[in-house]
Amino acid sequence: MEKSIETMWKEGFLHNETLSAPRVNNIDRRKSIHIIEKFERMFRMNIWGIVIGATLLLIGSYFAGALLAGSLIFMMMLYVAYTAHHELKALEKIDKGQSSYIFLKSLQDWISSSIERYGKMYRVVYPVFILAFYFGIWFSDVFAGKRQIVVENSNNLFFGLHIHTTIVIMIAAVLMSLFSKTIHRIDVKTVYGRIMKKLDLALAEMEELRG
């Protein structure tokens, strides 16, 4: 269906004299609905991916003897999924009865606002995640043997932590917090880049016609 809609869409702009206005408007609407429905499906799958990943990580942390750190990461990831669920509800409330242009423009505005909100949230999420993961691995039962070797052969220790390694991790956590918005934008582009490109192209074509 996607191919047929896009083919009709392109033909409508290349040979608009062959299409009546009602038919062009119908193609606009079908393409607009197709874009947002695909985005909603991908967003919903991403939420489930976070929940499943968090659960598997919690189970793995239990067997690794790092349940405390695993539980912290689990709760943090569930919070991200919960926030995403509310973002999805807001997306679903976009009025599909609007004109195709306003409809897609609303989707574009929602994506921009969502990225901004997530960027602020990840200022805390990213550093907490990396620190919890580091401390969890370092003090886990699985790492006990190597940790003992480090303790016996190094004088650079602070409360059982290797100072130089810990400093590097702390710097990485701070940098991830400072550049959280940039990192999140890259994540969004990686996951949703293809459909966002279609959205931008559709809006550009509509704006050209409107102009």
Side-chain angles (χ1 to χ4, degrees), residues 6 21 43 59 63 69-71 74 80 87 89 94 96 98 102 110 125 154 165 177 181 194 203:
E6 290 186 351
F43 199 80
I59 295 173
F63 289 105
S71 298
F74 175 75
V80 172
E87 291 287 331
K89 291 298 181 183
I94 293 179
K96 295 181 175 64
Q98 304 177 94
I102 296 176
W110 176 89
V125 171
S154 177
T165 302
S177 179
K181 289 185 179 181
R194 187 174 178 181
L203 283 170

Side-chain angles (χ1 to χ4, degrees), residues 173-204:
V174 171
L175 290 175
M176 289 189 74
S177 179
L178 293 175
F179 296 100
S180 59
K181 289 185 179 181
T182 301
I183 295 172
H184 179 58
R185 287 183 183 276
I186 294 174
D187 288 343
V188 171
K189 187 175 181 179
T190 300
V191 178
Y192 302 103
R194 187 174 178 181
I195 193 170
M196 288 172 66
K197 186 176 181 179
K198 289 183 179 181
L199 172 61
D200 292 340
L201 179 60
L203 283 170

Side-chain angles (χ1 to χ4, degrees), residues 86-98:
H86 279 273
E87 291 287 331
L88 179 60
K89 291 298 181 183
L91 174 61
E92 291 173 344
K93 290 180 180 178
I94 293 179
D95 184 8
K96 295 181 175 64
Q98 304 177 94

Side-chain angles (χ1 to χ4, degrees), residues 57-99:
L57 187 59
L58 180 64
I59 295 173
S61 68
Y62 171 78
F63 289 105
L67 186 59
L68 181 60
S71 298
L72 177 61
I73 294 175
F74 175 75
M75 290 186 292
M76 182 178 62
M77 292 179 71
L78 283 189
Y79 175 71
V80 172
Y82 175 78
T83 302
H85 174 71
H86 279 273
E87 291 287 331
L88 179 60
K89 291 298 181 183
L91 174 61
E92 291 173 344
K93 290 180 180 178
I94 293 179
D95 184 8
K96 295 181 175 64
Q98 304 177 94
S99 70

Side-chain angles (χ1 to χ4, degrees), residues 20-35:
S20 63
R23 188 179 177 191
V24 172
N25 289 335
N26 183 51
I27 295 173
D28 288 357
R29 182 162 299 281
R30 288 171 62 188
K31 187 174 181 69
S32 301
I33 292 175
H34 175 76
I35 289 174

